[in-house]
Structures are given as structure tokens and as C-alpha cells.
Amino acid sequence: MVDNCAMDRIDLHIVRELQNDGRLSNQELAQRVGLSPSPCLRRVRQLEQDGVIQGYRAIIDPEAVGRGFEVLVSVEVRRDRETVEAFEEALQDVPDVIEAYRLFGSPGCLLRIAVADLAAYERLWIERLTTLTGVTEVNSQIIMKRIKEPKGMPVDVRGA
Amino acid sequence: MVDNCAMDRIDLHIVRELQNDGRLSNQELAQRVGLSPSPCLRRVRQLEQDGVIQGYRAIIDPEAVGRGFEVLVSVEVRRDRETVEAFEEALQDVPDVIEAYRLFGSPGCLLRIAVADLAAYERLWIERLTTLTGVTEVNSQIIMKRIKEPKGMPVDVRGA
DNA sequence: GCTGATTTCGCAATCGCCTTGCGCACCTCC
DNA sequence: GGAGGTGCGCAAGGCGATTGCGAAATCAGC
């Protein structure tokens, strides 16, 4: 996690390739970045240890696991430290909340929620969202379409 | 991609484990879901082919690749088909836009953007966001804190 | 500019895992 | 009760991961 920012262009290239396909074999990866397998693997291990690569994840079709209905929820919370901290802590225990951000300005907080369908969302809304303490306003917006599939951060490799 | 929804609890378990750690060895995975390696691998391949597992990705620290500054941008676009389609198409060519949703109601569109710092965002805003055709309103909100790290979809495995 | 120290590479060998073909068990439908 | 189909476990072959070591490159200091 220490910011050992000695990332040269090969490291960036490795990061980019692994972000595109986290299951690349070390051999294939080495070939793509122009290295032999052993130093390539050593670099990957170093990147993992430095926290640059935080993990690997399979990308799942939300529909297939019964979470094809997505909602963006703006939440306003009373702005004192206790309330905010309790609210954010409580969010951790709601698995349907996929993403959550605290913002400057208004709304103070934005959630992305994924559930099975409208009925499931109604249940979540009435049972878990409106009951959170300190919440003064909840505004739900159904997602019509995902315009851009999340593909991770773009990584600029100078000269590659 | 065809909805071969014969996902039993073992498949759900596989999906959950691979979402947690996309680089699990097949042996380890098989052991966790209570199978021997060969049928386990066959199931994984099937899930990939059915589009349930859409891919694998390394999770990268945004800071490490110079994208530690994140902004949520509400965009309003003129609501005719031509404009909307052109706008959404144009978004694909802006790599700094990490996520994009089209919403019901207002705002009509929400973007998540990741750049290096405020200066980089100012440049992006003036050069690429305000110049998009049909855009009638752009409202930027800087993200103070990521409350919940994206960990993918929760997968309920009945009885596991 | 040369030299020593350090870093990083490539090679080779070992080990372990992936992968596939096959036989067996179970389940279903006649 | 028998026949077909589905899905499992076993075993073997091939291939990739992993590590130790020597060589090359890079860098600092003089």
C-alpha cells in the first residue's frame, strides 16, 4: 500500500492487460509486455504486494444472479458527525447497495442498488432505506440503461 | 448469453467464489464448492459460455494509475432520439468516463469520471463535456469519499 | 569515463495444476 | 424393470507456475 511509485511503462502495461483479462496466464502476459515469464511474474507479485493490484474478480451478469433491476438513490442525511458515521456504517450491512459515495453539495450521498425487480426494491425501500436514522430525504431513480459498461480505469502506457 | 437458467446452488457458489477471487485455482475452487476438479472446471466453462461469467478483471488502485480524483456528473440532454444516440455514442470515446447511466426522470444521465486531479477535470470539462452536442446542462459533484467499495453483486446461495 | 554496487533480466529445472478421456452412479421416463 | 441421459470422480499427459542462479544492464560516485 506504500506508494512505491516506481511504476515504469512495463508495470503500467501489465496493469492494463490484467485489468482487461484477469485470468491471463503469466506466459501470455509476459509475451504481451515483452518480458520473459519469470521477471513478469515477479513484477505482478510486487504490484499485488504494493496494493496497485488490489485483487481479481469475475464479472457476473447481474441478471443471472437475480439482480437485473438497478436503481440510483440520492440520500440526504443530517450533517453531523455521529449521524453520518452511523449512516455509512449501516450501509455496509445492506448487501443490495452495490456502490455508495459521499459527495460535496447536494445530494450528500448517492447509492447504486441492484435487486431482482421493482417489487424487491419497494420492499428494500420501505424496510431498510427509510428506516435508516438521520435520513431526511430519499430520491430513487430507476436506471433505464447502462450506457457504458464498467471496464475499469483506463491506463495510459506511454509508448505502447 | 441464452438464459439457460439451470443454475443450481453449486453454480451460484462457484459464481460467488470467483467474484471474490477471480484467480482462484480450479483445485481450490472445487474444494470450496464440494466438487472434484474436473466437473468444477466444466461448470466454470459452461458459466463462461452462457455469459453468466462475463470475464475476469484485476482491480486496480485508481491512485496508482493517476486517477484518484473522481467526479459524478449529472447531464441533461435534449430528448430526441438523434441527440441521445449521438451523445451516448460520443461518451464511448471519452476514456475518463468510467461509468454512465441513462435514467428515468431528471437528470437524464449520470456519469462517473476519474481523472488525475482538479486541473485535469477542469480541462476535461471545458474541452470535452461542454462541447458535446445537445447537452443542455452539466452539473459536477466531486466525490468526497467512497463509502462502499464495489465488491460485485452479492450472490445468495441457499444453504451455503 | 571508468569501476563497483545494485537492480533486473533470462535460462533451466522442478513442481504442481490444468485438462481430457473414460467408466460408474444416479435419475428419469418409458 | 430396463434404457437413455446427465453429471460425477479417477487417472494420466501435457503445460504453466515458480524458484535459484548466472549474466547483462543501469546507476552512482569518484
Side-chain angles (χ1 to χ4, degrees):
Chain A
M1 199 65 87
V2 182
D3 213 44
N4 253 338
C5 254
M7 299 252 304
D8 60 8
R9 77 179 49 182
I10 294 183
D11 284 330
L12 287 172
H13 201 164
I14 287 176
V15 162
R16 189 176 59 172
E17 293 295 334
L18 282 180
Q19 195 179 225
N20 265 0
D21 180 2
R23 280 217 126 167
L24 264 182
S25 80
N26 184 52
Q27 279 204 337
E28 175 69 17
L29 177 63
Q31 193 173 341
R32 290 195 193 179
V33 305
L35 238 56
S36 72
S38 24
C40 180
L41 183 67
R42 273 189 284 260
R43 278 170 181 262
V44 171
R45 293 280 176 272
Q46 191 64 45
L47 289 169
E48 290 170 357
Q49 201 173 339
D50 291 349
V52 174
I53 296 177
Q54 300 179 332
Y56 301 89
R57 193 161 302 146
I59 308 302
I60 304 302
D61 178 18
E63 207 73 61
V65 293
R67 295 190 177 272
F69 189 82
E70 297 197 23
V71 185
L72 286 179
V73 185
S74 307
V75 179
E76 207 54 78
V77 184
R78 229 178 322 114
R79 308 224 174 166
D80 56 89
R81 177 171 170 174
E82 305 252 335
T83 308
V84 168
E85 285 181 351
F87 169 73
E88 296 184 357
E89 188 57 33
L91 276 187
Q92 308 297 327
D93 298 331
V94 185
D96 313 87
V97 175
I98 306 301
E99 241 174 305
Y101 299 99
R102 196 206 299 160
L103 307 176
F104 290 96
S106 168
C109 180
L110 188 82
L111 317 178
R112 181 161 69 92
I113 287 179
V115 290
D117 49 31
L118 181 57
Y121 181 66
E122 191 275 337
R123 212 173 317 126
L124 178 75
W125 187 86
I126 199 77
E127 288 178 8
R128 309 210 58 176
L129 294 184
T130 56
T131 59
L132 291 171
T133 60
V135 170
T136 59
E137 199 183 328
V138 177
N139 199 301
S140 308
Q141 284 193 279
I142 299 172
I143 295 178
M144 193 184 325
K145 181 188 175 188
R146 173 170 292 168
I147 299 173
K148 196 159 185 178
E149 294 293 325
K151 302 212 177 310
M153 300 287 156
V155 177
D156 310 316
V157 181
R158 295 169 301 279
Chain B
M1 200 65 87
V2 184
D3 212 40
N4 254 339
C5 255
M7 299 253 301
D8 60 8
R9 78 178 48 181
I10 295 184
D11 282 331
L12 287 171
H13 201 164
I14 287 176
V15 162
R16 189 177 59 174
E17 293 296 333
L18 282 180
Q19 196 179 223
N20 266 357
D21 181 1
R23 280 218 129 168
L24 267 182
S25 80
N26 184 52
Q27 277 205 336
E28 176 69 15
L29 177 63
Q31 193 174 341
R32 290 195 193 179
V33 304
L35 239 55
S36 73
S38 25
C40 180
L41 184 66
R42 274 189 284 259
R43 277 168 181 266
V44 172
R45 293 281 176 271
Q46 191 64 45
L47 289 168
E48 290 170 356
Q49 201 173 339
D50 291 348
V52 173
I53 298 177
Q54 300 180 332
Y56 301 88
R57 192 162 302 145
I59 308 302
I60 303 302
D61 179 19
E63 207 73 62
V65 291
R67 295 191 176 272
F69 189 82
E70 298 197 21
V71 185
L72 285 179
V73 186
S74 307
V75 180
E76 206 55 77
V77 185
R78 226 179 324 116
R79 308 223 174 166
D80 55 89
R81 176 170 172 176
E82 304 253 333
T83 308
V84 169
E85 284 182 352
F87 168 73
E88 295 184 358
E89 187 57 34
L91 276 187
Q92 309 298 327
D93 298 330
V94 184
D96 314 86
V97 175
I98 306 300
E99 239 174 307
Y101 298 100
R102 196 207 297 162
L103 307 177
F104 290 96
S106 169
C109 180
L110 188 82
L111 316 178
R112 183 161 68 92
I113 288 178
V115 292
D117 50 31
L118 181 56
Y121 181 66
E122 190 275 336
R123 215 175 313 126
L124 179 75
W125 188 86
I126 199 77
E127 288 178 7
R128 307 208 60 175
L129 295 184
T130 56
T131 59
L132 290 171
T133 59
V135 171
T136 58
E137 198 183 331
V138 177
N139 199 301
S140 307
Q141 283 192 279
I142 298 171
I143 294 178
M144 193 184 323
K145 182 189 174 188
R146 172 171 293 168
I147 300 174
K148 196 160 186 177
E149 294 291 327
K151 302 213 178 308
M153 300 286 156
V155 177
D156 309 316
V157 181
R158 294 169 302 277

